Amino acid sequence: MAFSKRLFAACAALLFGALAHAAPLDNPISPGFNYGSQKVRGVNLGGWLVLEPWITPSLFDATNNPNIVDEWTFGQLQDRDRATSVLRNHWNTWITESDFAAIAAAGLNHVRIPIGFWAFDVSGGEPYIQGQLPYLQNAVGWARNHGIKVIVDLHGAPGSQNGFDNSGHKVPSPQWHTNQNNINRTKNIISQLASMFAGQSDVVTVIAPLNEPAGFVGQSMLDVVRQFWYDSYGTIRFPFGTSQQSNTLVLLHDAFQPLSYWKGFQTPPQWQGVAMDTHIYQMFSQAEVSRSNQQHIQNACSRTDLGTFDLWVIVGEWTPAATDCAKYLNGRGVGARYDGSYPGSSRVGSCNGLTGSASTFSSDYKTFLRQYWEAQTSTYEKAAGWIQWTWKAEIADEWSYQAGLKNGWIPQNPTQRQFPNICG
Ligand SMILES: *[C@@H]1O[C@H](CO)[C@@H](O)[C@H](O)[C@H]1NC(C)=O
């Protein structure tokens, strides 16, 4: 307790200097989902409030401009009225309340909803089109109606925290961490999110303050990320301006570091309500894309470290897809390592029948998808649980939870097993 008081004082000093001598923590934390005993089973609502070329290639192809490769250029390089009406139509139709009904009917208990900084703030002169925020707020109401918990995930930060197109702006090297104004703007958004949802912690159980910061850049990024996690803890866990803790969990991302890097970071009892997010993909390197089906499954099964870490670990992104064949997965106009069309890659095989419509998938392939799905969910449930990327994709059924349900490689009840011994 004494330590907690000091900790609170430190946070309060950071946040509200005048409150540095506020009362001690008095309420035990009571999250809106029992993360210690129930398993997170969920899907990401990818490609909705943050565009991704590979999830909705039609929106990009329809621009007839190959330089439109992300949401930034989507706003920048075409008529703004047209871009605005296309985006509005997309926000209105890609995800609706009926998706939440279907997600609940599939036995899932969580959605993770990516949102970009530009929904809040384009004061840096960014060319983004705004209007996403009311959709996020509506989605929280739909989640409530259907008994689904929401992880609100800041997926893009000013300057880009990873340079990926899914951060909003595809850039050769991330700039977020190089400029204090970028960091200040991001902190301000986390503060807005924390106060927006603090009163709805029974539905918005978790805020993830930054998706996939590029720890692989090096120490300069990791130093900024660590400080940002400290600041986000104060903001999300103490949104009331008092010593009262919220029930909202903070979900940190591992910044592409091994879990061992984060050992002891923000752990209880000194820190309360912190969980760790890790993303597991096996197709973004030549070595991974070259693995046999059996090796993909074995690699998934080998992740026993997830269940023994000192924070709850949620695998917040993963997929039963085993190749990078999906159109635009590596970026609009960029090819795939699997078939050798990615610069510098060496061909493993043809992408035919491995991506696109499930009607082209062989029964052997669908059996593999089921095995790999079960291997992953069984392993990730040894930790706090899993959130598949992603609920829908226009023409990449191997990634789509919806298509998996429809075509049988994902069970109607996520606890069903056809291969209960897949991990031996
Ligand atoms: C960032 O915020 C801090 C604290 O409010 C302030 O002192 C600093 O001037 C800000 N920096 C920039 C570049 O906006």
Side-chain angles (χ1 to χ4, degrees):
M1 197 54 169
F3 195 99
S4 297
K5 272 190 217 176
R6 283 202 301 278
L7 175 63
F8 174 72
C11 295
L14 205 64
L15 287 168
F16 337 98
L19 290 178
H21 302 289
L25 296 170
D26 45 16
N27 61 315
I29 172 172
S30 168
F33 182 84
N34 200 338
Y35 291 93
S37 58
Q38 285 179 279
K39 295 306 173 187
V40 172
R41 301 186 176 108
V43 281
N44 285 275
L45 304 184
W48 185 34
L49 304 181
V50 176
L51 286 190
E52 298 198 27
W54 75 268
I55 297 178
T56 56
S58 73
L59 297 187
F60 288 81
D61 290 344
T63 64
N64 291 317
N65 181 342
N67 297 320
I68 296 182
V69 298
D70 54 21
E71 196 159 332
W72 175 292
T73 47
F74 197 88
Q76 181 184 39
L77 299 180
Q78 62 180 323
D79 177 77
R80 275 187 85 78
D81 289 342
R82 180 190 178 277
T84 303
S85 79
V86 170
L87 277 175
R88 285 214 160 274
N89 181 60
H90 172 68
W91 296 332
N92 280 322
T93 56
W94 184 250
I95 298 291
T96 65
E97 184 162 7
S98 64
D99 291 289
F100 282 78
I103 288 164
L108 300 177
N109 51 36
H110 278 70
V111 293
R112 176 170 173 264
I113 307 183
I115 187 139
F117 78 90
W118 54 93
F120 300 84
D121 171 8
V122 289
S123 64
E126 293 91 352
Y128 292 111
I129 289 156
Q130 295 190 291
Q132 298 86 347
L133 197 50
Y135 291 88
L136 175 64
Q137 290 167 317
N138 280 344
V140 170
W142 298 336
R144 176 180 296 284
N145 294 345
H146 297 279
I148 300 286
K149 308 302 180 186
V150 176
I151 299 173
V152 174
D153 152 46
L154 188 70
H155 217 72
S160 181
Q161 75 279 18
N162 53 35
F164 304 156
D165 59 10
N166 57 59
S167 73
H169 197 189
K170 184 176 183 175
V171 289
S173 79
Q175 296 301 313
W176 173 69
H177 63 300
T178 66
N179 177 329
Q180 188 60 41
N181 188 44
N182 290 339
I183 299 159
N184 283 9
R185 290 173 70 196
T186 314
K187 284 160 61 173
N188 183 271
I189 290 163
I190 297 307
S191 169
Q192 291 183 56
L193 282 172
S195 37
M196 190 177 294
F197 295 120
Q200 299 181 69
S201 61
D202 57 331
V203 178
V204 180
T205 52
V206 178
I207 294 175
L210 191 57
N211 179 63
E212 297 189 346
F216 48 79
V217 164
Q219 202 59 45
S220 61
M221 173 67 84
L222 286 168
D223 288 344
V224 172
V225 169
R226 292 172 78 95
Q227 183 58 49
F228 183 69
W229 291 163
Y230 288 123
D231 294 339
S232 297
Y233 182 90
T235 310
I236 295 167
R237 303 285 308 113
F238 297 91
F240 306 112
T242 67
S243 65
Q244 190 191 349
Q245 297 190 87
S246 74
N247 288 321
T248 314
L249 258 59
V250 187
L251 183 60
L252 310 178
H253 182 267
D254 63 15
F256 302 102
Q257 303 306 295
L259 289 177
S260 55
Y261 172 87
W262 296 103
K263 191 172 159 50
F265 189 81
Q266 296 193 348
T267 48
Q270 297 92 332
W271 304 77
Q272 296 288 324
V274 181
M276 183 60 74
D277 181 12
T278 193
H279 297 170
I280 301 180
Y281 292 115
Q282 293 190 38
M283 76 282 283
F284 293 117
S285 67
Q286 183 70 43
E288 289 168 300
V289 92
S290 305
R291 288 176 185 160
S292 68
N293 287 350
Q294 200 49 42
Q295 287 171 328
H296 284 298
I297 289 168
Q298 279 163 0
N299 271 281
C301 294
S302 75
R303 292 304 305 273
T304 50
D305 59 314
L306 302 170
T308 57
F309 190 60
D310 53 15
L311 294 172
W312 292 320
V313 175
I314 297 173
V315 182
E317 294 189 18
W318 61 279
T319 171
T323 73
D324 61 346
C325 287
K327 182 184 179 184
Y328 298 166
L329 183 69
N330 295 312
R332 184 176 182 195
V334 179
R337 294 172 184 84
Y338 192 82
D339 69 2
S341 58
Y342 182 91
S345 64
S346 52
R347 179 182 171 91
V348 178
S350 168
C351 282
N352 290 340
L354 300 181
T355 189
S357 167
S359 64
T360 69
F361 296 178
S362 69
S363 67
D364 277 359
Y365 181 42
K366 286 187 273 193
T367 299
F368 163 68
L369 291 172
R370 175 76 179 230
Q371 290 173 327
Y372 191 25
W373 188 94
E374 290 194 17
Q376 292 187 79
T377 53
S378 296
T379 302
Y380 307 158
E381 288 189 19
K382 300 258 169 38
W386 49 267
I387 305 171
Q388 184 174 323
W389 192 277
T390 184
W391 175 239
K392 290 176 69 176
E394 278 180 349
I395 54 164
D397 280 354
E398 72 279 21
W399 285 80
S400 161
Y401 202 99
Q402 208 179 35
L405 285 172
K406 185 166 166 225
N407 294 282
W409 66 81
I410 297 178
Q412 302 302 314
N413 172 337
T415 64
Q416 283 167 1
R417 290 290 177 266
Q418 278 178 5
F419 303 97
N421 301 315
I422 191 74
C423 285

